[in-house]
Each structure stands twice: as structure tokens, then as C-alpha cells.
Amino acid sequence: MIKVKGIAAASGISIGPAYRIDKEEFVIPKEPIAQGDIPVQIQLFEEALIQTRREIVALQKRIATDMGQEQAEIFDAHLLVLEDRMLIEEVISRLKKERLNVAYIFLEVLKKYIDVFSKIEDEYLKERTADINDVGKRILRNLLGKKRMDFKDLKEKVVLVAHDLSPSDTAAMHKQNVCAFVTDIGGKTSHTAIMAKSLEIPAVVGVEGITLKIKTNDLLIVDGSMGDVIINPDEATLQFYQEGQRKLKGIAEKFLSVKDLPTLTLDGKQIEITANIELPDEVGSVKLHGAQGIGLYRTEFFYMNRKGLPSEEEHYQAYSYVASEMKPYPVIIRTLDLGGDKFLSQFEIPHEMQNFLGWRAVRFCLARPDIFKVQLRAILRASVHGKLKLMYPMISGVEELRQANKILDDCKEELRKEGLPFNDNIEVGAMIEVPSAAMTCDLLAEEADFFSIGTNDLIQYSLAVDRANEKVAYLYEPLHPAVLRMIKNIIEAAHHAGIWVGMCGEMAGEPAFILIILGLGLDEFSMPPQVIPEVKYIIRSVTLKKAQEIAQKALQLSTGKEVEAFSQLELRKILG
Ligand code: PEP
Ligand code: MG
């Protein structure tokens, strides 16, 4: 039995056999071949090149239709790699000379090319390394007849063990046989972790070297609340965790008993508790856990795991469904927040876009009004089916809010001309998740109908800590005095301007933080559905006055750790 510790990403305990997904690193054994096999190996290589060419041309066509010719042209560079006579001839001549399997020779030649290109001073040529790497991997996959892992192939409930999983990988686990997952890398508020919470899959991330310690079929216990992974437990440990599973169920039932009661503090202050969702069919879980609406619908997941961009009609159907299912409660649709750690595999978007500081979210949408308008029109059209609101992610100042609203007005004008109904008074909010927005929230409050504080990003940008990087996870402190002061200022500015303010970052659903943010005056808390009953239970156990006192004391403390210890203590006192 081995016990290892990682970052607790999604709570709950799961027990099951491991299923290890290997990193796509091609370790190809060196195999001598007979002289007579050389033509067969050359043919294999040529077929792999043809197949790769076919794949790239098809991808290019799809991108030209979905995103425009300019984006499609990125792949011309990939096609050029495929036609590189020097590379092809080097593979064939070494194959003939060394008489080794073609996959091995190709990988050797590829490594040499990558090495040479990455050392070149010229920036343009240096960038070609990524193209060569991409195309090279495609060729290798075709040479080896490999497919990417498909979760649908899983026959029993397994614990997935992987170096890393993208948010779209996690979304693809939905309704598949995955009872938990564990990864080598990742942080607590990476979208992979957030997705796991929504799907109610316990997860531990950032467990360095875990893929080296676990083999497929090892029995694993994943404790997503404590961040523990136990490999091949002994009988006593197994029983301990099975008992833990039963206890958790009991606690969950206690919290669930208040789920349909109003969210009132003991002195009668009404608070809104809403849910965060990524996929439309989570509305069932949202209702089950007693949410009073949806405070964050992360629509980018709609663009993932599919071929091409969703059409206006598809957006419209999804939003109308969620709006009418949640009626009379509000649903806040967050417009496309692409980038950071959420990228769309089908576009093979340049690497830079995955960067948290890059061309992403509302910046991408403002630069691509063609894509943005499809979504905005659909939101407007769906607004007649329920209480829809919309908000923009990553607003960094008033100018961006104005630009986005200008495009929204254009969409309204178009719909008016087309005679299509929509709610002209739809509430439009700004997410406050960039420090510059937090510092100018008094100005933004004049032009927005509401704010929603995106603490996941606000923390990473203000503390300069990558939210998805396990190496700096210890610095990711939601209760850092800087963060608390910012939240206080945002709430005060919003209230001063007469608008309401919510919070949809993970902080709003962390039991230990609730008392402080309640005391700071937050109006709406939005969180993964399954934590709603517990948060409701806490809010119903305290007076607003007491929460205000706790917040005031917290603001006097000097470090995040002091604040956290203090708030844990107060929570324990309140819950007995
Ligand atoms: C946030 O940043 O807090 C947020 C809610 O948005 P996301 O996690 O999708 O970036
Ligand atoms: Mg964000």
C-alpha cells in the first residue's frame, strides 16, 4: 500500500481499479528488419504520409468554413512539412542503411529536426518547431495505427490516471465509466478540476509522478476532499474509506434537508444561491440541489468535443432549454471565455491562446464579431423563454464593456429588422476578474447592470499565480488580504452605484470562506450545484451581523493563513 498526497480538486471518495492513460510520448523500440522488408516499411511510411495529408486537408477545410481562410492557412505550414523532401529522403536513406523499423527511424529524424529548429535564432523559423512536432506526431500516430483514447470504450467504473487532462477531456467523461481521476499536474481552480466538481467526480490533481507509481488495474482510493490517493490499500484502510463514504453520504443528507428552504440568515437577510454549470443537461442536478437560478453558465464547453462551431440555432436551442427549465429563476449566460486552459481542440488554435494573459475571452470575441454575434443573437432570441441575463468574461476596463455592448446593440438591431422577438431590457453584467476592472469598478458600475466576481482569475492575476500550476499552488490564497480588500471594494462600488453583485469563482462555494464574503455584503453566491446545500446550511446558521463582525476582524489580519485559520474556527463555532 502506498499513500500519496496531491491537491484536493473535487470532493468525495471513490474506490476503483486504475486506468492509466499514457502521455502521448512515443517510445518506439528499435527493431531490426530484414532486407526484404525494406519496401514494406517504405510503403508504410508513404501511406502514413498520405493519411496525414488527408487529415490536415480535411481539418483545413473545416477551419476555412468555421473560422475563415486566414485561420485555415496556418495549416499550410503543416502541409509543407509533409512535403519536405529532405526529411522524407533522410528517413528512406537511413531505413535502407540501418535496416531498422521505420517508426523508430522517423522518430529519430524528427527529434533531430526539432532540435535543430529550436536552436535557430530566427523567431519565424523557431516557431516552425511546433508545426514539425504536430505533424510529426500525426505521422507517428498513423504509422502506429494509434487512436486517441475514447472514454466510451471503458467497460467498467475506473479511476483515470493521467499526466494531465484538458477541460474538454473532462467534459467527455460525462456519463462515462469514470468514478474519479488523478493527474500529475494541475491546480485547484484549473477548469479540469472545476469540471470534475460539476460532474461530481472526486479528483486529486498535481500529484507529482503519480503516473509512474500506478499501473492499470491497481486498486485505488481517491479522497478528493483531502487530496489523498491510496494505491493498493490493505483491508483495514479499505474498510476505513468505505466507512468514510457512508459518513459522507450521511452528512450530505443533513445538508440536503435544507435545500428547499429559503436562504435567509438568522436575522432575515435574503441571499441568492445559484449554480455554476458547464453543460445544459446539468439543470437536473441544479434543481435537485435547490439552486435559485444559474449564476454562471460557462458556454465555452458547448464549443468543445465537436466538429466545427455551433450554429446560432444550436446555441438558441441550448439556451432556450436552460432558460425555460429554470423559469422563474434567472440564468446568467457567460459569453465565450475561450483561452487560458480552455482551448478548442478542433481548431488547433495557436499555443499562445492557451495563455492566461493572451488573446482570449472577450478580447477574442471583440476581434471576431462574426463568432461573437452568433452567440449574442442566440442569447437574445432565447431571452423570451425565461429570465436570461448575460455577462462578459475578462473585462479589463470600460472600453471593452462599451465595445461588447455595441456589438450587442447591433445584434438587437438585426433581430428587430428580422422581426425576431427578444427581451430588449436583458440585464448585462461584467465579470470582475481582472485587477484593472477591480480597481475601476466604480466606473464599470455606471455602465453595467450587475457584477459577478470571478475569483478564480482575480486571484491568479492579482497574486501572479497560475491557477493551473501545481508548483505555485501554495501561493494561491483566496483569503490573501489583497484579495479580501479587492472584494470589499468591488461590493462597495457596486452597492454605491445601486447594482447587485455576485461571485461565481470557486471561492463562493468554499464553506470556510462563506462567513467572510457574506459579511462583506455579497448579494449572490454561485457555485457547483452539489455544494449548494452545505452553503445554504451555513448561511441559515448565522446572523448577518455576526458575519459582518467576522469579516471586519478578517480584514485586520495580515496573512491569508491567519485569515483562513480564523474563518475555520468561526465556522466550527457556528456549526457546533
Ligand atoms: C472565475 O475566473 O472565477 C470564473 C468564474 O471563470 P472561469 O473559472 O471560467 O475562468
Ligand atoms: Mg474566469
Side-chain angles (χ1 to χ4, degrees), residues 191 298 334 337 342 360 393-394 431 433 454-458 460-461 467 504:
H191 284 93
R298 288 187 168 94
R334 197 254 310 267
D337 186 19
K342 287 171 297 192
R360 52 164 303 207
M394 283 277 293
M431 283 191 73
E433 52 182 347
T455 50
N456 303 338
D457 280 317
L458 188 61
Q460 82 160 342
Y461 295 133
R467 63 193 265 189
C504 59

Side-chain angles (χ1 to χ4, degrees), residues 540-563:
R540 289 177 51 87
S541 309
V542 69
T543 58
L544 180 63
K545 190 161 167 289
K546 176 73 189 164
Q548 284 166 340
E549 282 168 25
I550 294 173
Q552 282 315 312
K553 279 200 192 134
L555 284 167
Q556 310 300 319
L557 299 172
S558 319
T559 72
K561 290 201 180 55
E562 285 169 24
V563 181

